[in-house]
Amino acid sequence: MVNRILDNTKGDRWIWLIVIMLSAISLLAVYSSTGTLAFKKGVGVESILMKHLAMVVGGIALMYFSHKVDYRYYAGISKLLMIITIPLLLYTLVFGAHINNASRWIPIPGTGLSFQTSDLAKLALITFLARTLSRKQENIKNVKESFAPIMGAVCIVFALIAWANMSTGLMLFGVSILLLIMGRISIKQIGITCLAGAVLLAGIMFLGPRRHMYVTRINTFMHPEKVDPDKAFQANHAKIAIANGGILGRGPGNSVERNYLPESYSDEIYAIIVEEYGLIGGITLVGIYLFLLYRCIKIVTKAPKAFGALLAAGLSFSLTIQAFANMAVAVGLGPVTGVPLPLVSMGGTSILFTSVAFGIILSVSRDIEEPKKVVVGEIREVEMAI
């Protein structure tokens, strides 16, 4: 049974191991941090854990199916994804669930789940950029044919996401710039894109519905001693959780700050992990994400096609930048944001889309491995003939 499963799972084995490790850490952390949520909902912690387990299993299943698909097919659907994504982002801003002056989610009828459209947008924009950059290399500096559609896609998606979710929009914009650099877009054109992004960012910060929250969060981060303690509640309790952890931690299930930290099972889950597993647990988790980035870079450097290299690079940068942004906020290295820890934080559709991203990366790595197997098989046939 085990051999059959191993035979059917292709791609980088280390990435499969990383996914299993992150999923196991997620189950332990979510079980430990959802006591207050369970009390508010009037259900048992086990009930929440089983729902989370179902999402994790569903994510692994999606990753398996997406890694079996040849990654070249994703180039074909990238335009369709963009055509779907932009109207969906607009719909979310107008009709989405309105929480904390932000419309980020669309409720899925009959499921009790909500769909965060920015998760789809990240996947759509990265696949679209990888496809466009790889196919336009011969005239990559042509403004009308190459640069205009690329810049338009980046700026439109950034503006629509950032209006309600600034941190996610900025991270996706940063990943897009990295892809433009890898795709040999000229420095002048990249500068124009950055300037356009800066203008959009300024407009959203001064005119957007969350402008007051941005000012508060930046002031809290820059001058924590001068702000109302209630406004720094989340950042302060995250630091207390990390301080309580020490070297070895308080032990699994012994977190105290889980009862005080808002979103302790999502945005601040890293603080809970450090409190329970200490500095050793925190460094271990950082090491896992760094190792993931290392394995993905190896895939990028070995990918035989430009599309595969750009696709794997964009998705891996997106996952690791999000992970380090989440952990940086928890330890006080950045203002409070609303980004979850990939494959660790409790979430609905975010886990599923993250799993699909992992599956696509594995599909690219599978393309690297399979030619080697063909060559080895041909050598063996020649040896037998001799």
Side-chain angles (χ1 to χ4, degrees), residues 9 87 134 138 155 194-195 267 294 328 332 355:
T9 54
S134 61
E138 292 183 2
C155 291
C194 290
L195 180 61
D267 300 346
Y294 166 73
S355 299

Side-chain angles (χ1 to χ4, degrees), residues 68-117:
K68 296 290 284 185
V69 176
D70 191 315
Y71 73 90
R72 296 174 187 86
Y73 286 107
Y74 295 109
I77 65 172
S78 61
K79 274 191 172 182
L80 177 62
L81 284 177
M82 285 296 294
I83 292 171
I84 294 172
T85 293
I86 292 175
L88 202 56
L89 288 171
L90 283 168
Y91 177 87
T92 305
L93 290 177
V94 179
F95 302 106
H98 199 71
I99 302 173
N100 293 330
N101 294 320
S103 297
R104 303 180 187 176
W105 300 270
I106 298 176
I108 302 175
T111 64
L113 300 175
S114 56
F115 166 51
Q116 189 164 347
T117 48

Side-chain angles (χ1 to χ4, degrees), residues 34-321:
T34 50
T36 303
L37 178 65
F39 177 77
K40 289 179 180 178
K41 291 189 172 184
V43 298
V45 176
E46 292 77 10
S47 173
I48 295 176
L49 178 65
M50 293 308 295
K51 289 182 180 179
H52 180 62
L53 176 61
M55 297 303 296
V56 170
V57 173
I60 292 175
L62 276 177
M63 183 173 65
Y64 174 80
F65 288 116
S66 58
H67 107 285
K68 296 290 284 185
V69 176
D70 191 315
Y71 73 90
R72 296 174 187 86
Y73 286 107
Y74 295 109
I77 65 172
S78 61
K79 274 191 172 182
L80 177 62
L81 284 177
M82 285 296 294
I83 292 171
I84 294 172
T85 293
I86 292 175
L88 202 56
L89 288 171
L90 283 168
Y91 177 87
T92 305
L93 290 177
V94 179
F95 302 106
H98 199 71
I99 302 173
N100 293 330
N101 294 320
S103 297
R104 303 180 187 176
W105 300 270
I106 298 176
I108 302 175
T111 64
L113 300 175
S114 56
F115 166 51
Q116 189 164 347
T117 48
S118 60
D119 292 323
L120 174 63
K122 286 188 287 186
L123 191 62
L125 182 60
I126 289 171
T127 54
F128 176 78
L129 288 179
R131 174 187 182 274
T132 306
L133 288 169
S134 61
R135 293 192 175 187
K136 301 286 186 180
Q137 282 300 302
E138 292 183 2
N139 57 347
I140 196 65
K141 292 180 172 50
N142 186 295
V143 174
K144 184 177 179 180
E145 293 186 15
S146 301
F147 177 63
I150 290 172
M151 178 181 169
V154 171
C155 291
I156 290 171
V157 172
F158 166 66
L160 291 175
I161 293 177
W163 189 260
N165 192 345
M166 180 68 75
S167 53
T168 299
L170 283 173
M171 283 187 286
L172 184 57
F173 188 83
V175 171
S176 301
I177 295 300
L178 289 174
L179 284 179
L180 297 189
I181 294 171
M182 292 181 63
R184 298 194 307 114
I185 294 289
S186 70
I187 298 298
K188 179 181 177 181
Q189 291 175 341
I190 291 174
I192 293 172
T193 305
C194 290
L195 180 61
V199 171
L200 289 171
L201 176 63
I204 293 169
M205 289 192 70
F206 288 108
L207 301 175
R210 311 187 81 206
R211 54 189 180 276
H212 300 299
M213 184 178 292
Y214 299 143
V215 173
T216 299
R217 287 182 174 180
I218 293 173
N219 285 337
T220 301
F221 174 67
M222 299 296 293
H223 309 287
E225 72 285 351
K226 297 181 181 180
V227 299
D228 186 343
D230 289 339
K231 294 180 179 179
F233 183 86
Q234 185 170 340
N236 289 338
H237 278 275
K239 293 174 185 176
I240 292 171
I242 290 170
N244 287 342
I247 302 296
L248 300 176
R250 301 174 64 94
N254 292 324
S255 168
V256 174
E257 290 302 314
R258 64 186 175 184
N259 299 318
Y260 301 98
L261 264 174
E263 306 294 332
S264 60
Y265 45 84
S266 180
D267 300 346
E268 299 292 347
I269 199 166
Y270 183 70
I272 302 301
I273 291 172
V274 175
E275 184 181 13
E276 294 189 346
Y277 299 95
L279 182 63
I280 292 176
I283 291 176
T284 300
L285 192 55
V286 171
I288 291 173
Y289 283 111
L290 284 174
F291 187 61
L292 168 65
L293 180 60
Y294 166 73
R295 296 305 305 178
C296 290
I297 289 174
K298 288 199 71 174
I299 293 170
V300 171
T301 56
K302 292 181 179 180
K305 302 290 184 181
F307 174 68
L310 291 168
L311 186 60
L315 293 174
S316 60
F317 288 153
S318 176
L319 291 170
T320 51
I321 288 173

